[in-house]
Amino acid sequence: AKNIVSYREENGRFTDRKQLKKVSKLGPKAFEQCAGFLRITDGKNILDNTSVHPESYDAAKMLLSECGFKDISSDGLKNLDEAVNKHGLKSLAQKLDIGVPTLKDIIKEENIVYKKTPVLTDNVMHYCPGCSHGVVHKLVAEVIEEMGIQDKTIGVSPVGCSVLAYNYLDIDWAEAAHGRAPAVATGISRVHPDRYVFTYQGDGDLASIGCGEIMHACSRGENIVVIFINNAIYGMTGGQMAPTTLLGQVTATTPYGRDAKLNGFPMKLTELLAQLDGTCYVTRQSVHTPANVRKTKAAIRKAFENTRKDKGVSFVEVVSTCNSGWKVTPVEANKWMVENMFPKYPLGDIKDI
């Protein structure tokens, strides 16, 4: 184990199980015996993150193909046991010339790398390719499932790109007028104090037309969760300047870049809300890398858990991209966000009591 850690520190993260053969003193025999227990979480081959032994990879590929899955992916491993049972375990083993024990090992529940949460519907999302909304929706849905609160959660979505969020998360929803989600959530939470109530809002909605609502909800300490998507622009309405638009940033309404003398300065609303006594948890996260996705999910989970403690508003900002509004590719949008938005909107917890 020490040699594996040392190799990783010297050469970086493993991307392939075959790299294990290069580890000092591991040896071919040890690799053959233990490779199935050593998972490569960020590997190029999704089977490297399962207990399926490399010797059985070809068998796994044949099995997926026989069961009608097009490729080895998370979808290829999802519900594989059902497909195998439908075809018949013994008949499949005989047809593919695979031993029944090997076949059972491949379809074990622990080998499922990823399975879509049932809280997410099967509706195709309308968001632009590269948009951060879909990732955050997934995280909210996964937290709701893991906490077992699907029948106790009520979401509030206002006007903006997320106006159709009710199409994607299978929970109870209420629609709010532009910027008024915190006010609507206040009423729902007070009438149904046993429910998990959250708003899902963009920066144009929350920081601009809804600035008064969020300020007073946080000042009152309402028992709600607020998820704030900050992409520094009005996304749905054509890419106009938002309160969070950076100085010099070009938008439809600032074609020469935001000018402080003419348009004012970018609003760091999250820092302002952290100063109010009614907020218990205020954090700023992102979803542009796997590590950041995990951190954001943990933040959303903590925010929902705070609801049961009746501590006040939990506010989770997610610094996001809008490649359509910024007129760049998704990859360029992530790079621009890191280089320009993070210095103004640094990631991390701001308040946690």
Side-chain angles (χ1 to χ4, degrees), residues 194-210:
D194 61 327
R195 295 295 193 262
Y196 295 80
V197 182
F198 75 97
T199 72
Y200 188 98
Q201 304 173 255
D203 51 322
D205 176 84
L206 183 142
S208 181
I209 196 169

PDB file of all heavy atoms in Angstrom, residues 194-210:
ATOM      1  N   ASP A 194     -42.855  21.391   8.739  1.00  0.00           N
ATOM      2  CA  ASP A 194     -42.210  20.075   8.701  1.00  0.00           C
ATOM      3  C   ASP A 194     -41.606  19.763   7.340  1.00  0.00           C
ATOM      4  O   ASP A 194     -41.028  18.697   7.146  1.00  0.00           O
ATOM      5  CB  ASP A 194     -43.224  18.989   9.072  1.00  0.00           C
ATOM      6  CG  ASP A 194     -44.403  18.947   8.106  1.00  0.00           C
ATOM      7  OD1 ASP A 194     -44.791  20.026   7.580  1.00  0.00           O
ATOM      8  OD2 ASP A 194     -44.945  17.852   7.867  1.00  0.00           O
ATOM      9  N   ARG A 195     -41.727  20.682   6.391  1.00  0.00           N
ATOM     10  CA  ARG A 195     -41.238  20.449   5.036  1.00  0.00           C
ATOM     11  C   ARG A 195     -39.852  21.068   4.834  1.00  0.00           C
ATOM     12  O   ARG A 195     -39.439  21.985   5.540  1.00  0.00           O
ATOM     13  CB  ARG A 195     -42.208  21.035   4.003  1.00  0.00           C
ATOM     14  CG  ARG A 195     -43.575  20.365   3.979  1.00  0.00           C
ATOM     15  CD  ARG A 195     -43.452  18.916   3.529  1.00  0.00           C
ATOM     16  NE  ARG A 195     -44.735  18.326   3.206  1.00  0.00           N
ATOM     17  CZ  ARG A 195     -45.444  17.560   4.005  1.00  0.00           C
ATOM     18  NH1 ARG A 195     -44.975  17.297   5.225  1.00  0.00           N
ATOM     19  NH2 ARG A 195     -46.588  17.045   3.635  1.00  0.00           N
ATOM     20  N   TYR A 196     -39.141  20.535   3.843  1.00  0.00           N
ATOM     21  CA  TYR A 196     -37.861  21.096   3.416  1.00  0.00           C
ATOM     22  C   TYR A 196     -38.159  22.028   2.242  1.00  0.00           C
ATOM     23  O   TYR A 196     -38.480  21.571   1.136  1.00  0.00           O
ATOM     24  CB  TYR A 196     -36.904  19.993   2.979  1.00  0.00           C
ATOM     25  CG  TYR A 196     -36.485  19.055   4.091  1.00  0.00           C
ATOM     26  CD1 TYR A 196     -37.316  18.020   4.518  1.00  0.00           C
ATOM     27  CD2 TYR A 196     -35.255  19.201   4.722  1.00  0.00           C
ATOM     28  CE1 TYR A 196     -36.937  17.158   5.541  1.00  0.00           C
ATOM     29  CE2 TYR A 196     -34.853  18.338   5.742  1.00  0.00           C
ATOM     30  CZ  TYR A 196     -35.701  17.332   6.148  1.00  0.00           C
ATOM     31  OH  TYR A 196     -35.318  16.480   7.159  1.00  0.00           O
ATOM     32  N   VAL A 197     -38.060  23.313   2.454  1.00  0.00           N
ATOM     33  CA  VAL A 197     -38.421  24.297   1.441  1.00  0.00           C
ATOM     34  C   VAL A 197     -37.160  24.983   0.920  1.00  0.00           C
ATOM     35  O   VAL A 197     -36.326  25.443   1.708  1.00  0.00           O
ATOM     36  CB  VAL A 197     -39.388  25.348   2.018  1.00  0.00           C
ATOM     37  CG1 VAL A 197     -39.807  26.340   0.929  1.00  0.00           C
ATOM     38  CG2 VAL A 197     -40.618  24.673   2.624  1.00  0.00           C
ATOM     39  N   PHE A 198     -37.009  25.022  -0.405  1.00  0.00           N
ATOM     40  CA  PHE A 198     -35.845  25.686  -0.975  1.00  0.00           C
ATOM     41  C   PHE A 198     -36.236  26.505  -2.201  1.00  0.00           C
ATOM     42  O   PHE A 198     -37.222  26.207  -2.875  1.00  0.00           O
ATOM     43  CB  PHE A 198     -34.757  24.672  -1.346  1.00  0.00           C
ATOM     44  CG  PHE A 198     -35.031  23.875  -2.590  1.00  0.00           C
ATOM     45  CD1 PHE A 198     -34.498  24.238  -3.822  1.00  0.00           C
ATOM     46  CD2 PHE A 198     -35.826  22.725  -2.537  1.00  0.00           C
ATOM     47  CE1 PHE A 198     -34.731  23.490  -4.973  1.00  0.00           C
ATOM     48  CE2 PHE A 198     -36.066  21.971  -3.677  1.00  0.00           C
ATOM     49  CZ  PHE A 198     -35.522  22.353  -4.895  1.00  0.00           C
ATOM     50  N   THR A 199     -35.465  27.557  -2.459  1.00  0.00           N
ATOM     51  CA  THR A 199     -35.613  28.325  -3.697  1.00  0.00           C
ATOM     52  C   THR A 199     -34.415  28.042  -4.582  1.00  0.00           C
ATOM     53  O   THR A 199     -33.323  27.712  -4.098  1.00  0.00           O
ATOM     54  CB  THR A 199     -35.704  29.836  -3.432  1.00  0.00           C
ATOM     55  OG1 THR A 199     -34.416  30.326  -3.028  1.00  0.00           O
ATOM     56  CG2 THR A 199     -36.737  30.140  -2.356  1.00  0.00           C
ATOM     57  N   TYR A 200     -34.617  28.181  -5.881  1.00  0.00           N
ATOM     58  CA  TYR A 200     -33.555  27.959  -6.851  1.00  0.00           C
ATOM     59  C   TYR A 200     -33.568  29.168  -7.787  1.00  0.00           C
ATOM     60  O   TYR A 200     -34.469  29.307  -8.612  1.00  0.00           O
ATOM     61  CB  TYR A 200     -33.802  26.651  -7.611  1.00  0.00           C
ATOM     62  CG  TYR A 200     -32.661  26.236  -8.510  1.00  0.00           C
ATOM     63  CD1 TYR A 200     -31.736  25.290  -8.088  1.00  0.00           C
ATOM     64  CD2 TYR A 200     -32.509  26.778  -9.776  1.00  0.00           C
ATOM     65  CE1 TYR A 200     -30.693  24.898  -8.914  1.00  0.00           C
ATOM     66  CE2 TYR A 200     -31.460  26.403 -10.603  1.00  0.00           C
ATOM     67  CZ  TYR A 200     -30.552  25.464 -10.172  1.00  0.00           C
ATOM     68  OH  TYR A 200     -29.503  25.087 -10.981  1.00  0.00           O
ATOM     69  N   GLN A 201     -32.578  30.057  -7.674  1.00  0.00           N
ATOM     70  CA  GLN A 201     -32.641  31.347  -8.345  1.00  0.00           C
ATOM     71  C   GLN A 201     -31.323  31.728  -9.012  1.00  0.00           C
ATOM     72  O   GLN A 201     -30.247  31.384  -8.520  1.00  0.00           O
ATOM     73  CB  GLN A 201     -32.997  32.444  -7.334  1.00  0.00           C
ATOM     74  CG  GLN A 201     -34.293  32.194  -6.581  1.00  0.00           C
ATOM     75  CD  GLN A 201     -34.515  33.226  -5.484  1.00  0.00           C
ATOM     76  OE1 GLN A 201     -34.342  32.927  -4.301  1.00  0.00           O
ATOM     77  NE2 GLN A 201     -34.887  34.434  -5.874  1.00  0.00           N
ATOM     78  N   GLY A 202     -31.426  32.458 -10.101  1.00  0.00           N
ATOM     79  CA  GLY A 202     -30.256  32.995 -10.773  1.00  0.00           C
ATOM     80  C   GLY A 202     -29.907  34.366 -10.241  1.00  0.00           C
ATOM     81  O   GLY A 202     -30.652  34.963  -9.456  1.00  0.00           O
ATOM     82  N   ASP A 203     -28.761  34.902 -10.703  1.00  0.00           N
ATOM     83  CA  ASP A 203     -28.307  36.194 -10.187  1.00  0.00           C
ATOM     84  C   ASP A 203     -29.168  37.351 -10.673  1.00  0.00           C
ATOM     85  O   ASP A 203     -29.379  38.324  -9.933  1.00  0.00           O
ATOM     86  CB  ASP A 203     -26.834  36.425 -10.539  1.00  0.00           C
ATOM     87  CG  ASP A 203     -26.543  36.198 -12.013  1.00  0.00           C
ATOM     88  OD1 ASP A 203     -27.116  35.277 -12.601  1.00  0.00           O
ATOM     89  OD2 ASP A 203     -25.712  36.934 -12.582  1.00  0.00           O
ATOM     90  N   GLY A 204     -29.687  37.270 -11.891  1.00  0.00           N
ATOM     91  CA  GLY A 204     -30.569  38.328 -12.361  1.00  0.00           C
ATOM     92  C   GLY A 204     -31.844  38.387 -11.542  1.00  0.00           C
ATOM     93  O   GLY A 204     -32.352  39.463 -11.206  1.00  0.00           O
ATOM     94  N   ASP A 205     -32.341  37.221 -11.183  1.00  0.00           N
ATOM     95  CA  ASP A 205     -33.586  37.130 -10.411  1.00  0.00           C
ATOM     96  C   ASP A 205     -33.362  37.500  -8.949  1.00  0.00           C
ATOM     97  O   ASP A 205     -34.050  38.355  -8.398  1.00  0.00           O
ATOM     98  CB  ASP A 205     -34.137  35.705 -10.511  1.00  0.00           C
ATOM     99  CG  ASP A 205     -35.373  35.496  -9.660  1.00  0.00           C
ATOM    100  OD1 ASP A 205     -36.476  35.830 -10.121  1.00  0.00           O
ATOM    101  OD2 ASP A 205     -35.228  35.006  -8.529  1.00  0.00           O
ATOM    102  N   LEU A 206     -32.374  36.896  -8.309  1.00  0.00           N
ATOM    103  CA  LEU A 206     -32.184  37.058  -6.865  1.00  0.00           C
ATOM    104  C   LEU A 206     -31.491  38.369  -6.505  1.00  0.00           C
ATOM    105  O   LEU A 206     -31.903  39.069  -5.575  1.00  0.00           O
ATOM    106  CB  LEU A 206     -31.388  35.869  -6.317  1.00  0.00           C
ATOM    107  CG  LEU A 206     -31.151  35.839  -4.812  1.00  0.00           C
ATOM    108  CD1 LEU A 206     -31.248  34.416  -4.275  1.00  0.00           C
ATOM    109  CD2 LEU A 206     -29.772  36.416  -4.459  1.00  0.00           C
ATOM    110  N   ALA A 207     -30.440  38.713  -7.228  1.00  0.00           N
ATOM    111  CA  ALA A 207     -29.633  39.872  -6.847  1.00  0.00           C
ATOM    112  C   ALA A 207     -30.169  41.184  -7.394  1.00  0.00           C
ATOM    113  O   ALA A 207     -29.785  42.253  -6.927  1.00  0.00           O
ATOM    114  CB  ALA A 207     -28.186  39.679  -7.319  1.00  0.00           C
ATOM    115  N   SER A 208     -31.057  41.110  -8.362  1.00  0.00           N
ATOM    116  CA  SER A 208     -31.574  42.341  -8.968  1.00  0.00           C
ATOM    117  C   SER A 208     -33.013  42.592  -8.549  1.00  0.00           C
ATOM    118  O   SER A 208     -33.271  43.218  -7.528  1.00  0.00           O
ATOM    119  CB  SER A 208     -31.471  42.258 -10.494  1.00  0.00           C
ATOM    120  OG  SER A 208     -31.951  43.460 -11.086  1.00  0.00           O
ATOM    121  N   ILE A 209     -33.948  42.056  -9.279  1.00  0.00           N
ATOM    122  CA  ILE A 209     -35.349  42.334  -8.991  1.00  0.00           C
ATOM    123  C   ILE A 209     -35.807  41.732  -7.671  1.00  0.00           C
ATOM    124  O   ILE A 209     -36.737  42.207  -7.048  1.00  0.00           O
ATOM    125  CB  ILE A 209     -36.247  41.846 -10.159  1.00  0.00           C
ATOM    126  CG1 ILE A 209     -37.634  42.475 -10.071  1.00  0.00           C
ATOM    127  CG2 ILE A 209     -36.336  40.325 -10.177  1.00  0.00           C
ATOM    128  CD1 ILE A 209     -38.465  42.248 -11.321  1.00  0.00           C
ATOM    129  N   GLY A 210     -35.100  40.695  -7.199  1.00  0.00           N
ATOM    130  CA  GLY A 210     -35.477  40.055  -5.952  1.00  0.00           C
ATOM    131  C   GLY A 210     -34.575  40.399  -4.781  1.00  0.00           C
ATOM    132  O   GLY A 210     -34.602  39.725  -3.745  1.00  0.00           O
TER     133      GLY A 210
END
